[in-house]
Amino acid sequence: MKAERTKPRKPETRIQKRNHEAILEAALDVFSSRGFRGATVDQIAKAAGLSKPNLLYYFPSKEAMHTALLTGLLDSWLAPLRALDASGEPIEEILTYVRRKLEMSRQMPRESRLFANEILQGGPRLHGVLADDLKPLVDEKAKVIRAWVEAGRIAPVNPQHLIFSVWSLTQHYADFDIQVRTLLSDVEPDPFPEAERHLVTLFTRMLTPEAA
Amino acid sequence: MKAERTKPRKPETRIQKRNHEAILEAALDVFSSRGFRGATVDQIAKAAGLSKPNLLYYFPSKEAMHTALLTGLLDSWLAPLRALDASGEPIEEILTYVRRKLEMSRQMPRESRLFANEILQGGPRLHGVLADDLKPLVDEKAKVIRAWVEAGRIAPVNPQHLIFSVWSLTQHYADFDIQVRTLLSDVEPDPFPEAERHLVTLFTRMLTPEAA
DNA sequence: CGTGTTCCTGACCATTTGGTCAAACATAAC
DNA sequence: GTTATGTTTGACCAAATGGTCAGGAACACG
């Protein structure tokens, strides 16, 4: 319902760009670790090294910072799925997808938690994105996977639920990081190498067609 | 650090029990859908059909309601894993575990989201529980799984990460319910039947030993 | 019925929080 | 230097929120 006039129409000055980025970086930090409601503008301001009114000079509201983050990150967030190539070797394509998603959990846990926080709460600020951007992409890639199944190139599997499985398994290592590390504390200091081996094994066994 | 004297030492009156339960029920509703910080005592009071001061009569603080919920639910939350039986048939045991966890995602999504919300935010209110209660249980069951692997009764797998996989795959259908339903809106009105088929297939293929 | 205990509430309070604003400060252009 | 534009902040505000409290209502029991 709100106008999308967050960014000025004129080209950004250097100082604008710097502060804009500092604010979004700080906002990502705070929103991802406390949720939208749990984050305060003061916390973000402090993390960005700016004053609260100064934040409100660059963004009209706390809400605006949040949506700027979500929309700005969406593209890179969906990139790995977009890269799934219908003309590639099926199992290798999916394993690559899994590896890239797991790598994102390692490198961008804050982004993962930001989205998780949002969807957990019923995604009031994401309904549109889910239906308008994500759904078409998932439908398209589901079709690709279905074609692979029908061609006998991978074992039979429900395409949509396969995608859900990739998401849940990989994002788990970002979203539930504390739990994972606590439970592995005396086994592996860094869960990711073993996680990758585990997931590669899992999807390979799951998708390799019957030798029959 | 706080004393655990939430409950009075005297036996509860009928009215105490009723209100106590109504409050926790309402608190589960509100906490699970908005997170701790996002929930207000007023919202919980309204949902419970009581006045705000009345809630504070039964619980010393908002925080107390939250911890009462977490600790009260922990047992039933971990029951499925506890039920994993070392003397049972390995694959059937794990499939049963998966089915029970998925069933909990269907029947108790609020509880799932409550824990998810908590762990997502670094689990400040759960550190103790994770290390003291969950870790020993996971270690014990990991040992069971490792024994099955070494006996050749299931295919080689990292026990801890296998448990993580069960959690993430099953809880995903509760925690990300909105996303799942949105993406399946024109395919399946109820995601769970297909989810169960999918997960049974996944774990069967993953765990069935090589015919070699 | 009387009395002690439990239960409940309206009014109130202190703090936090998102957001505003006038004025000060900085910067670049002329 | 002057002027116009862009940037920053201290002071402030209204609303929301967790929590308190004195007293009233309901109940239990002799």
Side-chain angles (χ1 to χ4, degrees):
Chain A
M1 291 300 171
K2 296 251 183 84
E4 287 291 303
R5 288 254 160 271
T6 297
K7 318 239 175 143
R9 38 264 152 277
K10 298 214 176 175
E12 287 187 336
T13 71
R14 216 154 316 128
I15 202 167
Q16 258 172 23
K17 198 181 173 212
R18 171 170 53 84
N19 285 347
H20 221 88
E21 282 171 5
I23 292 170
L24 287 182
E25 162 69 23
L28 174 58
D29 231 67
V30 178
F31 280 138
S32 69
S33 67
R34 343 259 297 207
F36 178 77
R37 187 91 200 299
T40 78
V41 180
D42 264 322
Q43 287 166 354
I44 300 174
K46 203 171 178 183
L50 299 172
S51 70
K52 180 169 69 159
N54 207 0
L55 289 220
L56 278 307
Y57 170 74
Y58 287 101
F59 289 88
S61 69
K62 177 185 172 184
E63 177 90 32
M65 301 175 209
H66 194 252
T67 57
L69 260 186
L70 286 179
T71 61
L73 290 171
L74 190 66
D75 260 18
S76 62
W77 195 243
L78 298 183
L81 182 53
R82 283 221 176 77
L84 193 79
D85 184 1
S87 64
E89 204 285 306
I91 293 187
E92 207 42 58
E93 281 296 319
I94 292 172
L95 287 183
T96 298
Y97 178 42
V98 170
R99 285 199 197 91
R100 290 193 64 189
K101 279 294 282 180
L102 186 62
E103 190 58 18
M104 292 186 75
S105 281
R106 197 213 309 249
Q107 305 290 345
M108 309 168 69
R110 295 177 306 172
E111 287 81 348
S112 186
R113 289 196 200 103
L114 184 77
F115 286 111
N117 248 313
E118 210 34 39
I119 295 177
L120 242 189
Q121 329 230 323
R125 285 168 273 268
L126 273 182
H127 267 135
V129 174
L130 289 182
D132 301 343
D133 297 87
L134 187 54
K135 179 137 197 318
L137 177 61
V138 167
D139 285 348
E140 176 203 331
K141 298 305 182 182
K143 212 184 279 185
V144 170
I145 294 168
R146 191 171 305 112
W148 287 339
V149 168
E150 283 163 4
R153 304 184 67 189
I154 58 177
V157 69
N158 181 305
Q160 268 95 354
H161 288 265
L162 176 64
I163 293 174
F164 298 159
S165 295
V166 176
W167 289 346
S168 64
L169 286 166
T170 56
Q171 291 173 7
H172 186 82
Y173 289 96
D175 302 342
F176 292 70
D177 182 72
I178 285 87
Q179 192 183 50
V180 168
R181 285 182 195 274
T182 302
L183 297 178
L184 290 177
S185 54
D186 54 359
V187 188
E188 327 161 16
D190 177 8
F192 283 93
E194 190 59 29
E196 181 176 335
R197 259 170 264 146
H198 171 75
L199 293 185
V200 166
T201 302
L202 187 154
F203 282 102
T204 302
R205 289 181 189 160
M206 165 105 200
L207 296 174
T208 302
E210 290 288 322
Chain B
M1 290 304 168
K2 297 254 183 84
E4 288 291 302
R5 288 252 161 271
T6 297
K7 317 240 174 141
R9 39 263 149 281
K10 298 215 178 173
E12 286 187 335
T13 71
R14 216 156 315 127
I15 201 166
Q16 261 172 21
K17 195 177 176 219
R18 171 169 55 82
N19 285 346
H20 222 87
E21 281 171 4
I23 293 171
L24 287 181
E25 164 68 22
L28 174 59
D29 231 66
V30 178
F31 281 137
S32 69
S33 67
R34 343 258 298 204
F36 178 76
R37 187 94 200 300
T40 78
V41 180
D42 264 322
Q43 286 166 355
I44 300 174
K46 203 171 176 184
L50 299 172
S51 69
K52 180 167 69 157
N54 207 1
L55 290 219
L56 278 307
Y57 171 75
Y58 287 101
F59 290 87
S61 69
K62 178 184 170 184
E63 178 90 33
M65 300 176 209
H66 193 253
T67 57
L69 260 186
L70 286 179
T71 60
L73 290 171
L74 190 65
D75 259 18
S76 63
W77 195 243
L78 297 183
L81 182 54
R82 284 222 175 75
L84 192 79
D85 183 1
S87 64
E89 204 286 306
I91 293 188
E92 207 42 58
E93 281 296 320
I94 292 172
L95 287 183
T96 298
Y97 178 42
V98 170
R99 284 199 198 91
R100 291 192 63 189
K101 279 293 283 179
L102 186 63
E103 189 60 18
M104 291 186 76
S105 280
R106 197 214 307 249
Q107 304 290 343
M108 309 167 71
R110 296 176 304 172
E111 287 81 347
S112 186
R113 291 196 199 101
L114 184 78
F115 286 111
N117 249 313
E118 210 35 38
I119 295 177
L120 242 189
Q121 328 231 325
R125 287 170 271 269
L126 273 181
H127 267 135
V129 174
L130 289 182
D132 301 343
D133 297 88
L134 186 54
K135 179 140 197 317
L137 177 62
V138 168
D139 285 348
E140 175 202 332
K141 297 306 181 181
K143 210 184 280 187
V144 170
I145 294 168
R146 191 171 305 113
W148 285 340
V149 169
E150 283 164 5
R153 304 185 67 190
I154 59 176
V157 69
N158 181 304
Q160 268 95 355
H161 288 265
L162 176 65
I163 293 173
F164 298 159
S165 295
V166 175
W167 288 347
S168 65
L169 287 166
T170 55
Q171 291 172 7
H172 186 82
Y173 289 96
D175 301 343
F176 292 70
D177 182 73
I178 285 88
Q179 192 182 51
V180 168
R181 284 183 196 274
T182 302
L183 296 177
L184 290 177
S185 55
D186 54 359
V187 189
E188 326 162 15
D190 177 7
F192 282 93
E194 190 59 28
E196 179 174 337
R197 261 170 262 145
H198 172 75
L199 293 185
V200 166
T201 302
L202 188 153
F203 282 101
T204 303
R205 290 183 190 159
M206 163 107 202
L207 295 173
T208 302
E210 291 288 322

